[in-house]
Amino acid sequence: MNLYKLTLTTIVTRKTFAIFLVLFALLPVFLPLMTPWEEKPQLIEPARAQTAWSMLWLLALGWLFYQAASFGDKWASQGVLEYLKTLGTGRLSQIGQIWLSVLTLFAGFLALVVAICLIFAMPGDRVEAKMWVTTNLQYAWLFLLVVAPLTMLAVALGTRINATAAYVITTCVALYGLFGIGYLDFFLSQTGSPLFDFLYVVSPHYHLADLTNRLVFKLGSLAGGAFWNITAYLFGLALLMAAASCLLFREKK
């Protein structure tokens, strides 16, 4: 039994992704046209990019993590993982196959968003267009460094607790790293508490991967040093998340 094919086939059979595929194909292109864009036509490209990337974040938070958690719960509860263990499929292979199968379709949405930004939102100026391409590619890479390890965490938690709880925990971690860290930074600036300072240091700074503002305001791509520093940080964080996920994963509830 191939767990990757089994999981991917189940996702395709559910066909929920088809709804999102239609929305991604239409909304980023046509939704900005419903605004008074004629007053400033140059804002139409950033608006399309903002819509596309915002929808991708929402898809990760609302669909991807739940799919990962539900399959971890489903295969562990139904004894599929334990059966595969008797056939010689190890824990790392099992979590890797579930993780990869869930990400396979989602990678298509990521590619679609990049294509929308490069086809329907490309600036006319040659210099801006070059920076636009680089920024979107940087965004896609950093986005994966955040979403991929969180997806693995959702799978692992799903094998230990029910799918809903695993999804909520994973989503809360993501939301905290994206938005909650900003509130923590504000409290730290007001109080200077060592506790808040320590919490800020050890917190996951997922907001570093969100380059939406750079696209909206056409701030250009990240400088090479800054990009590789962020990549190194998020990659290290991803390794820690992956290690924790592998420890949490189990074949039987």
Side-chain angles (χ1 to χ4, degrees), residues 18-195:
I19 301 173
F20 300 111
L21 188 61
V22 173
L23 293 176
F24 269 78
L26 297 177
L27 292 184
V29 177
F30 296 107
L31 192 61
L33 296 177
M34 299 180 184
T35 63
W37 62 274
E38 296 91 346
E39 299 179 5
K40 288 187 176 181
Q42 67 272 22
L43 297 181
I44 193 69
E45 292 92 357
R48 283 175 174 165
Q50 182 181 26
T51 304
W53 280 105
S54 297
M55 288 178 62
L56 191 65
W57 280 110
L58 290 174
L59 185 65
L61 295 170
W63 180 81
L64 176 65
F65 296 156
Y66 187 77
Q67 291 294 315
S70 66
F71 280 112
D73 183 13
K74 182 183 179 71
W75 299 147
S77 300
Q78 295 182 356
V80 174
L81 301 181
E82 193 173 22
Y83 172 69
L84 288 172
K85 181 181 179 181
T86 63
L87 297 180
T89 305
R91 296 170 67 252
L92 294 181
S93 177
Q94 290 181 13
I95 189 174
Q97 289 185 56
I98 300 174
W99 170 76
L100 187 59
S101 63
V102 176
L103 278 180
T104 297
L105 282 175
F106 187 78
F109 284 99
L110 175 59
L112 178 61
V113 166
V114 174
I116 290 172
C117 291
L118 298 185
I119 296 174
F120 298 101
M122 181 72 78
D125 182 77
R126 183 175 302 223
V127 177
E128 287 187 357
K130 184 178 180 180
M131 290 191 295
W132 186 264
V133 173
T134 304
T135 306
N136 276 280
L137 294 179
Q138 288 180 341
Y139 200 165
W141 171 245
L142 297 178
F143 179 87
L144 275 178
L145 286 179
V146 170
V147 170
L150 287 171
T151 303
M152 184 172 287
L153 177 64
V155 174
L157 290 175
T159 63
R160 285 189 170 266
I161 55 181
N162 65 73
T164 302
Y167 164 71
V168 169
I169 292 174
T170 305
T171 304
C172 286
V173 173
L175 290 175
Y176 172 68
L178 287 170
F179 306 108
I181 199 74
Y183 294 99
L184 181 61
D185 187 29
F186 173 76
F187 287 129
L188 181 61
S189 65
Q190 296 296 315
T191 63
S193 169
L195 177 61

Side-chain angles (χ1 to χ4, degrees), residues 152 238-248:
M152 184 172 287
L239 291 178
L240 292 176
M241 188 73 72
S245 300
C246 292
L247 292 175
L248 288 171

